[in-house]
Amino acid sequence: MVLEWEPVYDLYYGATYGKLEDVDGSRIRTATFRLKRFYSPAESPRIWKKVQIHLAPRYSCKEFCEMALLFLNVRMSTEDHKKYGASLWFETMWKMYEFVEMGKNWGEDLPILFATLAYHNPDFMDWRPMYDSIFTRIIRAMGLCIREGKIVVGDGTGSSSLDGFAKFVSSTIGGPYSCQKHLDRMMKLIEPFMHPANESDHTATVLLFFQNLLREFAARYEEERVKKHRRKVAKEFYLNNNDIRLFVMSILQSLLYSLYSKDGKSYDLPAKLVMILAALEPGRVFPKFLEQQFLDADIKAVRNE
């Protein structure tokens, strides 16, 4: 089924930014977003041309990003993307993302746009030049930042983007453009903050990121290895056993630390996340878990002497 996009575009814009007072734009936003999958890929250049009008000074950046996110169809073949899809709009959208300040609501959905493109069309482009920027923003969104060579706690600005960030990281693990090295570096930075002695407001935010990340990774694992209808991408972009092992080991220690945090003791999220890792790599997770349990028992025994 193919739908005309212009009537929906005019309706949503009029209700949200125009003078159409009879319709509440916030009430039709979700439906508007879901309808874009029914627009013809060949219409993408016309949609993009209309969206670009909102780059003019008389409009706000929020208007531009909102209309782009709601009407640019990302679910198309890589061939179509190269003809009249992301090849037209990606560079501009990335520049907007680099321009937007953390905490600006109109920029927080952009990671989801990039993640969707990376997941469904991993062969469209090489994401490696963008990883430094994206992972820096992930660290800041979790309430962590680096200043003058020292790691300090930040304010968690942009934490509402964590869902999109998690999807992006999960989508770019493995394959020829893997983000695994950047994930390893980030986890080395995070580990000290997850130690119970350093627990603070950032702990719950980091756990939220882990929860989103493992949810997305498990869904990808299922789509590539369990479901009857597998992910429709080249096999070189599927997770292999080494990809899974590296992913699990990179985040395991931080999650083991979280078991001893006050938050970890008050609810069972950290334990559930460790169990997900154990399901993926039991031969590596259980020995590490038991090692830490024995170490903890020895420390308690020494203290009681």
Side-chain angles (χ1 to χ4, degrees):
M1 181 173 67
V2 178
L3 298 178
E4 293 291 330
W5 60 272
E6 286 186 283
V8 183
Y9 191 103
D10 294 338
L11 174 65
Y12 182 81
Y13 186 83
T16 307
Y17 302 107
K19 298 180 179 180
L20 188 58
E21 299 178 354
D22 296 335
V23 181
D24 184 352
S26 63
R27 291 182 176 272
I28 62 172
R29 189 180 190 277
T30 300
T32 300
F33 177 79
R34 291 178 177 175
L35 283 175
K36 71 177 181 178
R37 72 184 66 181
F38 298 109
Y39 304 148
S40 170
E43 286 292 297
S44 293
R46 293 185 61 227
I47 295 174
W48 177 235
K49 184 177 181 180
K50 190 157 187 175
V51 168
Q52 282 183 295
I53 293 174
H54 302 290
L55 286 172
R58 60 175 293 196
Y59 300 102
S60 68
C61 292
K62 176 177 174 58
E63 290 179 51
F64 167 76
C65 282
E66 178 81 352
M67 302 309 288
L69 289 167
L70 292 182
F71 287 91
L72 291 176
N73 189 0
V74 186
R75 300 286 190 92
M76 61 177 72
S77 68
T78 298
E79 182 180 352
D80 284 344
H81 267 304
K82 291 180 178 179
K83 285 182 180 178
Y84 32 59
S87 60
L88 298 178
W89 51 258
F90 178 81
E91 184 177 353
T92 300
M93 297 304 294
W94 178 256
K95 287 181 179 178
M96 291 297 297
Y97 180 65
E98 289 189 310
F99 169 77
V100 63
E101 296 179 9
M102 295 290 288
K104 294 288 187 180
N105 292 334
W106 56 267
E108 291 177 350
D109 288 333
L110 290 177
I112 296 179
L113 178 74
F114 301 143
T116 303
L117 179 62
Y119 185 77
H120 292 283
N121 305 91
D123 56 340
F124 173 72
M125 61 178 289
D126 182 353
W127 287 93
R128 287 175 293 185
M130 288 79 174
Y131 288 157
D132 283 345
S133 177
I134 290 175
F135 276 84
T136 297
R137 286 178 177 253
I138 295 174
I139 292 168
R140 292 174 59 191
M142 287 190 288
L144 310 172
C145 61
I146 303 175
R147 295 177 186 169
E148 298 180 357
K150 296 182 179 180
I151 303 171
V152 298
V153 177
D155 60 4
T157 302
S159 59
S160 57
S161 299
L162 288 176
D163 188 28
F165 284 137
K167 185 175 180 63
F168 180 85
V169 173
S170 173
S171 299
T172 50
I173 292 289
Y177 313 132
S178 179
C179 71
Q180 184 63 53
K181 290 183 179 179
H182 281 74
L183 179 62
D184 290 340
R185 286 163 51 191
M186 183 176 74
M187 295 314 305
K188 289 297 183 183
L189 185 153
I190 290 174
E191 278 183 21
F193 283 100
M194 295 306 290
H195 192 281
N198 297 322
E199 185 173 5
S200 185
D201 293 339
H202 65 273
T203 305
T205 307
V206 176
L207 281 174
L208 175 62
F209 174 73
F210 284 152
Q211 181 183 26
N212 293 337
L213 179 60
L214 284 177
R215 181 194 66 224
E216 295 292 342
F217 192 84
R220 179 182 171 187
Y221 179 94
E222 184 178 359
E223 191 166 354
E224 293 181 1
R225 297 195 173 203
V226 179
K227 289 184 177 180
K228 181 178 180 180
H229 300 289
R230 304 294 173 86
R231 184 181 175 209
K232 295 180 180 179
V233 298
K235 295 297 182 181
E236 65 176 327
F237 293 101
Y238 271 39
L239 293 167
N240 59 41
N241 292 339
N242 190 52
D243 294 329
I244 297 170
R245 178 183 63 82
L246 291 175
F247 173 79
V248 169
M249 297 308 294
S250 68
I251 65 177
L252 176 58
Q253 187 58 59
S254 291
L255 283 178
L256 290 177
Y257 281 151
S258 72
L259 293 172
Y260 300 95
S261 68
K262 293 179 182 178
D263 282 335
K265 293 177 181 178
S266 62
Y267 62 102
D268 57 0
L269 176 60
K272 287 182 177 179
L273 298 181
V274 172
M275 288 174 64
I276 293 174
L277 293 184
L280 293 170
E281 282 287 322
R284 296 181 181 274
V285 174
F286 283 120
K288 192 76 174 177
F289 170 76
L290 293 174
E291 177 186 337
Q292 184 150 318
Q293 293 297 307
F294 289 139
L295 178 61
D296 183 56
D298 290 341
I299 293 174
K300 289 181 178 179
V302 171
R303 288 176 177 174
N304 293 331
E305 289 181 356

